[in-house]
């Protein structure tokens, strides 16, 4: 931490509610995702790197459609779902998440995920994170991220206009979905620096709910008013 960051005030990001992505934002599922898709790729005779290059931020069905022939897709989707459910127990909460969620009023936050309801629920439970009332999954939308349908549905479910619902995302496709929905977007992680998210943080450690938005410690800000 630099002296300037120690002295800088927390960054306030206005919002009336928060729409969280799941994997990589609420839940650390990286090892589970990469292990599962590696096993799946090996079964199908696919170089695992090809799957890992396209899986993040996409629905499993959309990833499978990029990698296998149409007549094999239904079985391939069933297989990756089964493998990922087996591996869900290794997931843990991301830094700062339990403390932040404990501060959020009921009905002020939602989850929008590219995972199925079964898988996303299993990962949240493994990480000790409650399943919110507004929970939009791959099962609930016709098109996955970067299509904005999931975030539009979640904002509506919280009774908010998109402009008042802060999307918190780590993947380029998820950030694109939030922006397309007309929501402000907070990017998480260094990959988000390569997107159009106006504010990017290393993680949500130390973040706090202010009643009218998030307060982000200056030391975590990778892009925004306190760091460029």
């Amino acid at each position: 931490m630099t002296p300037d960051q120690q002295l800088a005030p927390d960054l306030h990001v206005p919002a009336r509610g928060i729409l969280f992505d799941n994997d990589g934002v609420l839940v650390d599922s990286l090892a589970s995702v990469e292990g599962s898709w590696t096993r799946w790729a090996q079964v199908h005779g696919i170089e695992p790197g090809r799957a890992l290059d396209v899986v993040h931020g996409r629905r499993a069905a959309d990833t499978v459609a990029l990698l296998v022939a149409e007549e094999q897709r239904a079985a391939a989707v069933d297989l990756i779902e089964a493998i990922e459910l087996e591996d869900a127990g290794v997931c843990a909460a991301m830094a700062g998440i339990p403390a932040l969620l404990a501060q959020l009023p009921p009905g002020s936050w939602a989850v929008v995920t590219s995972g199925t309801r079964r898988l996303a629920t299993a990962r949240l439970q493994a990480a000790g994170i409650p399943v919110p009332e507004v929970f939009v999954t791959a099962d609930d939308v016709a098109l996955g991220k970067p299509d904005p349908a999931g975030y539009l549905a979640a904002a509506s479910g919280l009774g908010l206009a998109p402009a008042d619902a802060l999307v918190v995302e780590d993947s380029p496709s998820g950030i694109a979905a939030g922006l397309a929905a007309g929501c402000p977007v907070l990017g998480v992680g260094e990959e988000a620096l390569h997107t159009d998210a106006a504010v990017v943080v290393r993680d949500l450690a130390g973040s706090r709910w202010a009643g009218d938005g998030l307060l982000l410690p200056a030391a975590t800000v990778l892009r925004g008013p306190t760091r460029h």
Side-chain angles (χ1 to χ4, degrees):
M1 185 185 303
T2 67
D4 285 346
Q5 287 175 304
Q6 289 178 320
L7 295 173
D10 291 344
L11 174 61
H12 179 258
V13 180
R16 293 181 57 206
I18 305 180
L19 312 181
F20 291 101
D21 175 42
N22 192 27
D23 299 292
V25 172
L26 295 179
V27 172
D28 183 356
S29 59
L30 182 62
S32 176
V33 169
E34 293 192 343
S36 296
W37 279 95
T38 295
R39 289 169 57 193
W40 176 90
Q42 290 168 340
V43 168
H44 288 87
I46 296 169
E47 160 54 36
R50 287 184 58 205
L52 298 180
D53 283 345
V54 297
V55 67
H56 297 291
R58 282 191 171 95
R59 297 184 303 176
D62 296 334
T63 298
V64 167
L66 296 174
L67 298 170
V68 303
E70 186 173 358
E71 63 272 14
Q72 300 175 316
R73 289 174 189 168
V77 170
D78 288 343
L79 178 61
I80 188 57
E81 175 84 355
I83 293 173
E84 289 197 295
L85 283 168
E86 287 178 9
D87 291 346
V90 304
C91 296
M94 294 289 287
I97 289 300
L100 175 59
L101 294 181
Q103 299 172 42
L104 294 175
S108 67
W109 65 283
V111 171
V112 180
T113 177
S114 296
T116 64
R117 186 168 295 269
R118 284 182 68 200
L119 178 59
T121 299
R123 287 177 173 167
L124 287 169
Q125 291 175 339
I129 295 173
V131 177
E133 182 177 346
V134 179
F135 185 33
V136 181
T137 74
D139 304 320
D140 303 314
V141 294
L143 295 173
K145 301 171 187 178
D147 188 90
Y151 281 116
L152 289 170
S156 177
L158 294 181
L160 298 176
D164 293 324
L166 177 66
V167 166
V168 184
E169 267 281 4
D170 67 318
S171 72
S173 62
I175 289 170
L179 293 171
C183 299
V185 177
L186 172 64
V188 178
E190 293 190 0
E191 188 177 10
L193 290 170
H194 304 292
T195 73
D196 291 330
V199 179
V200 178
V201 292
R202 182 174 293 105
D203 55 40
L204 292 169
S207 60
R208 308 188 310 283
W209 179 244
D212 59 353
L214 282 184
L215 290 173
L216 306 171
T220 70
V221 177
L222 299 178
R223 181 165 71 211
T226 63
R227 186 168 181 181
H228 300 278

